[in-house]
């Protein structure tokens, strides 16, 4: 016996979401034998983007039952069944979180139709619910409402059951990992993490780092790893016994740390990548001496001013520069000077500078140190004299080895982010 369900939530931070609507269809493998559909008063405001997506607003839920008023019905209709949902770990986590708030340990086995469809429909262009059911010709109404999505999932599940002629897929996807100690452990791990910018490290039972990454919201990113479908993700979830983290404050430092530590540690579940860019901006003068910027693919021993991971971002940058130029080309000296000034704004060149950005706490600022055009490391300071004195500055810096990729990270940050401050260092 199965219960096919979908849940709509308020959105928001991990473990702070509330259920706004739930739809459950009890399915015996042939037909629906029971169902429960209800709006739910989450006793908190709905995020504006969720209102726009679902059409459910705070006013609609004022007279709806609260979760504790529908909890018994949910327990009864799902008892002795396997929960079926598209990205089942998300819906299951939301349900378990709500029941934990009531002091009740809610445990069910689950089947994820994302997993099933990837195995049985590997050639599908997308495995998102909307695109998948459309590609299969499954009629759907009320997308992003609980009952509409639950019915779409039910129709998809019926099709997948029919395609699984050997029943091998269901046996392998039906997992015990969603119940008992493992799920509780992962929930406890996530709850201990901060919603802060930094790097995080997943450790196995021996303390070995098996995965590391960065995020501007560590708690959210780790949770995404723990609800991610797929066999590789399941292995990582099963092996993880502890997650440690380092706050960086600065997104740039988090990116630089992730890159350096991937190269040094080489975790089992993620490896460092090679060159992260394909194109560059080069400058050249025409026969009149007017400076021009051009984008080309990288070639051997070339030294581009700024690098890009594709033509689109490079073209966008050239347009940005063009829009910022105020001098006419006829005034060659001033026109060229203005281009050089703009390039200094968005590139490193051979300069010695520090990039100041957010710190890990109030009153602190982060420092990225660049010497003669090469990234040298990062650090944190509270007082201006720490950065104005080169000897003190170098003593607070955690050394790092810069390369073409770190320069790419830094120049990309300079182009896209506006919270930093660049300070030129005297030679």
């Amino acid at each position: 016996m199965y219960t096919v369900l979908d849940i709509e939530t308020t959105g928001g931070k991990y473990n702070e979401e509330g259920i706004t609507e739930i739809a459950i269809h009890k399915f015996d493998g042939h037909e629906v034998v029971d169902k429960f559909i209800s709006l739910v008063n989450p006793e908190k405001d709905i995020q504006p983007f969720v209102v726009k997506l679902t059409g459910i607003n705070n006013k609609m839920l004022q007279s709806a039952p609260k979760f504790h008023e529908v909890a018994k019905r949910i327990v009864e209709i799902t008892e002795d069944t396997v929960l079926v949902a598209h990205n089942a770990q998300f819906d299951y986590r939301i349900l378990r979180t709500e029941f934990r708030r009531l002091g009740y340990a809610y445990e069910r086995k689950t089947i994820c139709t994302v997993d099933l469809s990837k195995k049985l429909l590997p050639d599908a262009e997308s495995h998102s619910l909307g695109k998948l059911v459309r590609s299969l010709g499954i009629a759907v109404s009320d997308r992003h409402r609980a009952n509409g999505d639950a019915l779409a999932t039910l129709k998809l599940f019926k099709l997948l059951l029919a395609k699984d002629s050997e029943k091998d897929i269901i046996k392998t996807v039906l997992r015990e990992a969603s119940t008992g100690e493992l799920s509780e452990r992962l929930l406890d791990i996530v709850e201990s993490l901060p919603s802060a910018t930094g790097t995080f490290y997943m450790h196995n039972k021996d303390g070995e780092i098996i995965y590391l990454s960065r995020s501007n919201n560590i708690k959210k990113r780790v949770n995404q790893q723990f609800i991610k479908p797929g066999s590789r993700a399941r292995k990582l979830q099963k092996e993880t016994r502890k997650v440690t983290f380092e706050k960086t404050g600065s997104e740039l430092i988090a990116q630089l740390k992730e890159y350096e530590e991937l190269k040094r540690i080489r975790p089992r579940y993620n490896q460092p990548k090679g060159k992260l860019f394909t194109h560059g901006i080069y400058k050249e003068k025409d026969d009149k001496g007017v400076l021009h910027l051009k984008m080309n693919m990288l070639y051997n021993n070339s030294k581009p001013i700024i690098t890009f991971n594709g033509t689109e971002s490079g073209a966008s940058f050239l347009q940005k520069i063009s829009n910022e130029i105020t001098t006419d080309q006829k005034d060659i000296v001033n026109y060229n000077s203005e281009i050089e000034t703009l390039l200094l704004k968005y590139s490193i060149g051979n300069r010695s500078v520090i990039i100041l950005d957010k710190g890990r706490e109030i009153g602190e600022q982060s420092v990225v140190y660049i010497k003669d055009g090469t990234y040298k490391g990062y650090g944190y300071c509270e007082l201006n004299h720490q950065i104005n004195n080169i000897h003190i500055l170098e003593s607070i810096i955690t050394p790092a080895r810069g390369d073409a990729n770190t320069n790419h990270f830094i120049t990309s940050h300079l182009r896209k982010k506006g919270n930093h401050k660049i300070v030129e260092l005297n030679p």
Side-chain angles (χ1 to χ4, degrees):
M1 189 73 72
Y2 308 97
T3 39
V4 182
L5 80 154
D6 186 81
I7 291 171
E8 302 299 330
T9 71
T10 58
K13 294 181 180 178
Y14 171 85
N15 210 30
E16 294 182 12
E17 313 106 320
I19 294 175
T20 58
E21 188 175 34
I22 186 168
I24 302 173
H25 293 260
K26 194 169 186 176
F27 177 61
D28 66 3
H30 304 282
E31 60 183 358
V32 174
V33 295
D34 194 4
K35 61 184 177 181
F36 172 68
I37 303 162
S38 179
L39 291 170
V40 180
N41 184 345
E43 302 181 83
K44 62 185 70 178
D45 288 338
I46 307 172
Q47 296 288 313
F49 79 92
V50 177
V51 174
K52 186 176 180 180
L53 180 69
T54 66
I56 301 173
N57 57 49
N58 295 314
K59 186 176 181 181
M60 291 171 60
L61 303 180
Q62 288 178 354
S63 59
K66 299 178 176 63
F67 183 79
H68 71 86
E69 296 176 287
V70 299
K72 183 180 179 182
R73 175 69 171 128
I74 294 170
V75 170
E76 290 173 345
I77 195 172
T78 62
E79 192 169 10
D80 297 323
T81 70
V82 177
L83 299 184
V84 179
H86 209 69
N87 195 1
Q89 286 202 13
F90 172 79
D91 297 82
Y92 185 55
R93 175 182 68 80
I94 295 294
L95 269 182
R96 294 201 73 193
T97 299
E98 289 286 3
F99 276 110
R100 288 178 92 191
R101 290 170 183 157
L102 300 179
Y104 180 79
Y106 181 81
E107 294 184 0
R108 298 289 187 269
K109 295 178 182 179
T110 65
I111 288 178
C112 180
T113 51
V114 175
D115 286 350
L116 277 179
S117 61
K118 284 182 177 180
K119 291 178 182 294
L120 291 167
L121 303 168
D123 297 327
E125 182 178 340
S126 170
H127 293 94
S128 68
L129 182 61
K131 292 180 179 179
L132 185 59
V133 295
R134 278 198 300 273
S135 71
L136 296 170
I138 296 174
V140 181
S141 60
D142 291 330
R143 278 286 285 122
H144 302 298
R145 289 296 298 267
N147 194 45
D149 286 356
L151 285 171
T153 303
L154 174 62
K155 293 174 183 178
L156 173 62
F157 185 52
K158 287 180 179 178
L159 183 149
L160 294 170
L161 283 175
K163 290 183 73 67
D164 186 22
S165 58
E166 300 297 323
K167 306 305 178 191
D168 291 333
I169 301 298
I170 289 181
K171 292 174 184 176
T172 56
V173 175
L174 188 62
R175 57 190 181 277
E176 297 289 346
S178 59
T179 63
E181 184 269 340
L182 177 60
S183 186
E184 289 287 349
R185 173 170 51 77
L186 296 183
L187 284 170
D188 290 340
I189 286 174
V190 173
E191 287 173 2
S192 70
L193 298 173
S195 299
T197 299
T199 51
F200 63 89
Y201 313 85
M202 295 181 170
H203 304 258
N204 64 13
K205 61 183 177 60
D206 298 319
E208 174 191 358
I209 295 173
I210 55 177
Y211 182 91
L212 71 88
S213 190
R214 74 181 195 279
S215 178
N216 59 7
N217 187 328
I218 295 171
K219 181 191 288 283
K220 181 178 180 181
R221 180 64 187 280
V222 173
N223 178 62
Q224 289 171 342
Q225 288 293 331
F226 285 163
I227 65 172
K228 193 175 180 179
S231 59
R232 184 172 175 276
R234 299 277 185 258
K235 290 179 182 178
L236 178 59
Q237 293 155 16
K238 186 176 181 179
E239 289 184 37
T240 300
R241 289 295 178 271
K242 184 178 182 181
V243 177
T244 59
F245 62 89
E246 289 186 30
K247 295 181 183 179
T248 62
S250 158
E251 290 183 38
L252 175 58
I253 291 179
Q255 188 174 31
L256 292 166
K257 275 178 63 65
E258 177 196 40
Y259 172 69
E260 182 182 10
E261 290 174 338
L262 280 174
K263 288 196 300 179
R264 186 177 72 250
I265 299 171
R266 305 187 74 85
R268 187 184 316 159
Y269 286 100
N270 58 339
Q271 296 289 318
K273 297 179 180 178
K275 188 171 287 186
L276 301 173
F277 49 91
T278 57
H279 292 71
I281 296 293
Y282 301 84
K283 59 182 180 181
E284 59 182 45
K285 289 184 179 180
D286 63 19
D287 53 6
K288 295 180 180 180
V290 178
L291 195 61
H292 296 278
L293 301 178
K294 293 187 176 181
M295 178 178 61
N296 285 310
M297 288 189 67
L298 300 175
Y299 50 89
N300 292 339
N301 301 320
S302 65
K303 294 184 178 180
I305 304 167
I306 303 175
T307 53
F308 302 88
N309 58 5
T311 57
E312 186 175 337
S313 55
S316 177
F317 174 74
L318 287 177
Q319 185 61 53
K320 179 183 178 70
I321 290 289
S322 177
N323 293 340
E324 292 185 23
I325 294 174
T326 59
T327 308
D328 192 279
Q329 284 190 16
K330 295 178 181 178
D331 186 354
I332 296 176
V333 174
N334 288 325
Y335 178 81
N336 288 355
S337 176
E338 187 170 2
I339 288 182
E340 295 285 8
T341 300
L342 287 170
L343 289 177
L344 281 176
K345 180 180 177 182
Y346 298 113
S347 64
I348 298 174
N350 293 316
R351 293 187 294 166
S352 293
V353 301
I354 55 174
I355 302 173
L356 300 177
D357 208 335
K358 294 178 183 177
R360 297 162 297 186
E361 56 192 32
I362 296 174
E364 181 182 73
Q365 53 189 342
S366 63
V367 182
V368 171
Y369 178 33
I370 298 160
K371 184 176 182 180
D372 299 327
T374 301
Y375 167 60
K376 292 295 184 180
Y378 70 93
Y380 298 91
C381 63
E382 297 179 359
L383 304 171
N384 283 334
H385 81 259
Q386 292 176 283
I387 59 173
N388 293 333
N389 185 310
I390 190 67
H391 298 295
I392 295 177
L393 172 64
E394 290 183 342
S395 70
I396 65 174
I397 290 295
T398 300
R401 180 174 294 181
D403 60 18
N405 281 339
T406 58
N407 277 19
H408 174 69
F409 293 145
I410 292 167
T411 54
S412 296
H413 183 83
L414 296 182
R415 292 197 309 273
K416 298 173 184 177
K417 305 293 181 179
N419 296 328
H420 60 267
K421 177 183 177 182
I422 299 177
V423 178
E424 299 280 347
L425 298 175
N426 295 325

